[in-house]
Amino acid sequence: MTTRDIDLACFGEPLMELTRVERDGEPPSYRPGYGGDTSNCAIAAARQGARTAYISAVGDDSFGREMRALWRVEGVDDSAVRTDAGAPTGLYIITPSPAGRDFAYYRTGSAASRYTPADLPLDLLPRVRIVQLSGISQAVGEGPCDAGFRLIEAAREAGCEVAYDTNLRLKLWSLERARAVMHGAIERCTVALPSVDDSRILTGLDDPDAIADAYLRRGPRIVALKLGAEGVLVATAKERRRLAPNRVDAIDATGAGDTFDGAFLARLAAGDDPVEAARYANAAAALTTTGYGAVAPIPRADAVRALLAGN
């Protein structure tokens, strides 16, 4: 019998991040960082002590090599990440502005956008407890969309839990296609991780309880509905709890939902029930908002437990 020695394997598109920095009297410079929702999720889970892996493709370029170095430092197994010598690693640029931040994405034709079902490391799945992917994982191309569905099917056949985060990005596809793909994926998954903002657009419903009910009817055994600054609603067929937000000095919500996903799935893999896992992940996501960027402020387990103890 194969040992499930990987708690969480995430599938999607990693992105290099450049933040524009302006200083009086000097030309602008760009501070490097890292992004990609499912990559952030894998890193967040690893920082909570989970054994994680990533499934994707990067280019044979400096950005791809930096992403691999990041995963290795963070303890994320990158052996299932293929190198596409004919395509670049995706990139996005953040420009701060008085209204917040502007994002420019350079991901068309990226290595991850050329991923196909034939590239999937299906032999890895018997070793995995939970597989995670998102709407963005499937929105970046026809090949990744098909690969996402094939991964869900194969993961369920291999006995894995499968978690799905909507992460709706209407710049990547139409609402009609996003709704069809995402709801089709959620119907095949066991854990749904939508945000309330996405869900209101996708379902046409407003009330969080009604949204949770709608997703439970689609088939997942757990729905963790992220409510942003209002906390989280976690629901199963037998139990429902709304957890209040944790008190922190928030300055940047980038990646908070990804951190919630990684922390929640790490705790599920460790044996927590959904409410315990959501309480922990709620605190981890709050701590992420106290720093800038998607990866740097992701907390480790000791900081999360300290916040929970303080509250």
Side-chain angles (χ1 to χ4, degrees), residues 158-233:
C160 307
E161 296 269 15
V162 182
Y164 196 92
D165 185 333
T166 49
N167 254 355
L168 177 64
R169 297 292 185 272
L170 291 177
K171 289 184 178 181
L172 293 175
W173 51 3
S174 70
L175 175 58
E176 292 73 18
R177 176 156 173 76
R179 181 183 289 120
V181 170
M182 291 182 187
H183 285 174
I186 285 173
E187 287 168 0
R188 296 164 171 82
C189 293
T190 59
V191 181
L193 300 167
S195 74
V196 71
D197 291 339
D198 287 358
S199 299
R200 285 171 172 151
I201 296 170
L202 291 166
T203 69
L205 300 170
D206 183 69
D207 178 66
D209 283 293
I211 292 169
D213 289 336
Y215 281 124
L216 285 172
R217 285 195 295 270
R218 289 189 175 274
R221 69 180 187 89
I222 302 169
V223 174
L225 181 64
K226 292 169 283 189
L227 305 176
E230 300 302 315
V232 61
L233 172 65

Side-chain angles (χ1 to χ4, degrees), residues 2-311:
T2 303
T3 300
R4 294 195 184 269
D5 59 338
I6 299 172
D7 295 313
L8 176 65
C10 301
F11 167 69
E13 182 184 33
L15 293 167
M16 192 69 187
E17 174 188 272
L18 296 176
T19 301
R20 183 183 174 103
V21 179
E22 295 193 14
R23 297 181 179 87
D24 291 341
E26 298 181 16
S29 60
Y30 290 87
R31 185 179 68 245
Y34 309 97
D37 61 337
T38 57
S39 175
N40 299 339
C41 175
I43 292 168
R47 289 192 183 181
Q48 312 319 306
R51 299 162 297 182
T52 67
Y54 200 57
I55 302 169
S56 187
V58 295
D60 185 14
D61 52 26
S62 61
F63 288 165
R65 288 186 284 276
E66 282 196 48
M67 292 302 307
R68 287 192 185 276
L70 170 71
W71 293 321
R72 289 166 184 166
V73 166
E74 296 290 347
V76 178
D77 185 340
D78 70 332
S79 61
V81 177
R82 60 185 294 270
T83 297
D84 184 338
T89 305
L91 165 71
Y92 70 107
I93 297 175
I94 302 172
T95 302
S97 70
R101 298 186 304 162
D102 296 322
F103 293 85
Y105 288 91
Y106 299 88
R107 67 199 325 169
T108 302
S110 71
S113 75
R114 293 166 27 134
Y115 204 91
T116 72
D119 297 320
L120 288 167
L122 300 183
D123 57 342
L124 184 72
L125 297 178
R127 298 172 50 199
V128 177
R129 296 180 185 276
I130 305 172
V131 168
Q132 186 259 2
L133 67 161
S134 75
I136 295 175
S137 304
Q138 295 189 282
V140 295
E142 292 294 331
C145 187
D146 292 343
F149 281 120
R150 178 70 185 103
L151 177 62
I152 292 169
E153 175 187 15
R156 294 297 303 274
E157 290 172 355
C160 307
E161 296 269 15
V162 182
Y164 196 92
D165 185 333
T166 49
N167 254 355
L168 177 64
R169 297 292 185 272
L170 291 177
K171 289 184 178 181
L172 293 175
W173 51 3
S174 70
L175 175 58
E176 292 73 18
R177 176 156 173 76
R179 181 183 289 120
V181 170
M182 291 182 187
H183 285 174
I186 285 173
E187 287 168 0
R188 296 164 171 82
C189 293
T190 59
V191 181
L193 300 167
S195 74
V196 71
D197 291 339
D198 287 358
S199 299
R200 285 171 172 151
I201 296 170
L202 291 166
T203 69
L205 300 170
D206 183 69
D207 178 66
D209 283 293
I211 292 169
D213 289 336
Y215 281 124
L216 285 172
R217 285 195 295 270
R218 289 189 175 274
R221 69 180 187 89
I222 302 169
V223 174
L225 181 64
K226 292 169 283 189
L227 305 176
E230 300 302 315
V232 61
L233 172 65
V234 59
T236 69
K238 297 181 179 180
E239 186 175 16
R240 179 169 308 210
R241 293 283 295 278
R242 186 162 179 164
L243 304 176
N246 293 268
R247 297 182 299 275
V248 297
D249 294 323
I251 58 174
D252 181 11
T254 301
D258 308 334
T259 294
F260 179 95
D261 291 359
F264 182 74
L265 298 173
R267 293 315 308 165
L268 283 185
D272 284 3
D273 67 39
V275 173
E276 291 173 333
R279 183 175 290 109
Y280 181 97
N282 202 29
L287 286 171
T288 300
T289 70
T290 63
Y292 290 103
V295 171
I298 296 173
R300 299 190 183 274
D302 54 352
V304 179
R305 298 199 183 283
L307 179 62
L308 287 169
N311 287 344

